[in-house]
Amino acid sequence: MKTPENQSVLSLNTGAEIPQLGIGVFKVDDDECERVVSDALELGYRHIDTAMIYRNEAAVGRAIANSGIPRDELFVTTKIWNSDQGKDTAAAALETSLELLGLDSVDLYLIHWPAPLREKYVETWLALEELAAAGRTAAIGVSNFEPEHLENILEAGSVVPAINQVELHPAFQQRAVRHVGEPHGIITEAWGPLGQGKYDLAELPGLGDLATKHGKTIQQIVLRWHIQEGVAVFPKSVRKERMAENLDIFDFELDANDMNTMVAMDSGRRVGTHPDDGNW
Ligand code: NDP
């Protein structure tokens, strides 16, 4: 894909490229989501992260259609919900998402949660391999997979996931799961990159000083740290001025000391559900 202006891209293990920064639309209502995605596209975002369960794929699709941006300049991710997991149900779930999005294919289709008590994530993975082979999604991956879930699909499948999208923010840095994925070329995506607003970033030791040092906001420092960690990131904001702020992180660099300060913020503080418990 064409590199978005003044932004960075990562190479997936499929050979495709993904803009490293995107916009996430979790908890953005369908009636507001078209405006949110349109604002983001206008500002220069080219990567959108949605999911069937967000109930806003149609709005994302309308914003894409109205933008006039060529399809091959956009990276669109959606996810299969837990209740659609299964070898006989996955294909229909993706078709529904594609219809809502108004697209022939997505760039990335993820298993949203392993939902281990349902015992269907391995067969769902094999179904996603077929959907990728059929061209309905350019890449496939997983989300909220712990090391053991990853190992199970690596063993059963013939395609290595391109992505594992997990909760990841300064207080919860996910070194163990990233360590399992890295040798396989699995790129980590950070959900809740700003901690979902569930704790005060300003209280993290040293973050305020980094913001002062670089003349940036604490949110920009955190997002820049994600970029330099090599993860893909898609902060959610419904406010255009914050979307612009979150995009404005490609004109400075954290040095090694700054990165060490960020790494020291890891307190193992999870703000979301543990993957073993996400069996809704
Ligand atoms: P984020 O960490 O992106 O935090 C979003 C919150 O931060 C919102 O309250 C937003 O408020 C606020 N915010 C955004 N930018 C700024 C800023 N510059 N200054 C101050 N506040 C700001 O949480 P999300 O949960 O939304 O995670 C991002 C994306 O990750 C989701 O939208 C979704 O696409 C994905 N995700 C995936 C999950 C999964 O299970 N795979 C789970 C959760 C999320 P406001 O909108 O008012 O600006």
Side-chain angles (χ1 to χ4, degrees):
M1 75 175 288
K2 195 173 148 225
T3 305
E5 217 172 316
N6 303 324
Q7 297 181 39
S8 54
V9 294
L10 296 172
S11 294
L12 300 178
N13 60 15
T14 58
E17 290 189 327
I18 180 173
Q20 207 176 349
L21 184 77
I23 180 94
V25 292
F26 179 41
K27 293 198 170 163
V28 182
D29 289 343
D30 190 74
D31 53 3
E32 196 181 19
C33 191
E34 182 177 344
R35 193 270 306 161
V36 166
V37 175
S38 296
D39 282 353
L41 294 175
E42 194 188 310
L43 287 168
Y45 285 81
R46 291 294 179 268
H47 168 184
I48 307 159
D49 184 88
T50 185
M52 167 79 90
I53 198 68
Y54 301 170
R55 307 264 179 253
N56 56 22
E57 289 168 307
V60 170
R62 288 194 298 276
I64 290 172
N66 292 338
S67 74
I69 297 169
R71 176 68 186 90
D72 64 0
E73 293 182 19
L74 294 171
F75 193 100
V76 181
T77 299
T78 194
K79 315 181 190 92
I80 184 168
W81 186 239
N82 297 352
S83 54
D84 288 323
Q85 281 196 29
K87 62 178 172 17
D88 300 322
T89 45
L94 178 53
E95 289 310 314
T96 302
S97 287
L98 291 175
E99 204 169 301
L100 288 167
L101 287 161
L103 300 176
D104 294 331
S105 66
V106 283
D107 299 280
L108 178 64
Y109 196 45
L110 302 178
I111 300 181
H112 204 145
W113 290 83
L117 294 183
R118 290 178 175 264
E119 296 185 345
K120 286 195 169 160
Y121 69 85
V122 174
E123 67 178 68
T124 304
W125 180 253
L126 301 180
L128 261 55
E129 291 188 351
E130 286 178 23
L131 293 171
R136 304 305 271 164
T137 177
I140 53 177
V142 294
S143 177
N144 298 300
F145 272 42
E146 292 285 293
E148 70 172 283
H149 309 129
L150 273 179
E151 277 151 13
N152 287 339
I153 58 164
L154 286 169
E155 193 183 313
S158 50
V159 176
V160 175
I163 292 286
N164 188 15
Q165 181 181 123
V166 294
E167 178 184 340
L168 202 173
H169 42 85
F172 191 61
Q173 300 188 11
Q174 294 272 25
R175 300 286 163 191
V177 74
R178 290 158 73 181
H179 185 69
V180 172
E182 267 158 23
H184 299 281
I186 300 171
I187 286 177
T188 301
E189 291 187 336
W191 70 249
L194 299 171
Q196 297 191 307
K198 289 185 178 166
Y199 61 89
D200 188 1
L201 294 171
E203 285 173 4
L204 294 170
L207 190 50
D209 292 340
L210 290 180
T212 306
K213 173 178 169 183
H214 292 282
K216 292 284 178 178
T217 66
I218 53 177
Q219 287 79 12
Q220 288 174 316
I221 298 292
V222 170
L223 295 171
R224 179 70 208 178
W225 165 72
H226 283 292
I227 295 291
Q228 289 184 217
E229 284 272 351
V231 306
V233 70
F234 23 82
K236 167 261 175 188
S237 181
V238 297
R239 307 177 208 208
K240 197 172 182 183
E241 68 278 9
R242 284 185 175 173
M243 292 180 210
E245 176 187 329
N246 295 345
L247 194 59
D248 183 20
I249 56 169
F250 295 100
D251 61 350
F252 75 108
E253 220 169 295
L254 300 171
D255 64 27
N257 284 337
D258 300 339
M259 291 299 280
N260 287 338
T261 301
M262 295 300 301
V263 169
M265 293 174 193
D266 190 0
S267 59
R269 178 176 179 172
R270 194 187 280 280
V271 299
T273 303
H274 189 287
D276 282 338
D277 301 326
N279 297 288
W280 312 277

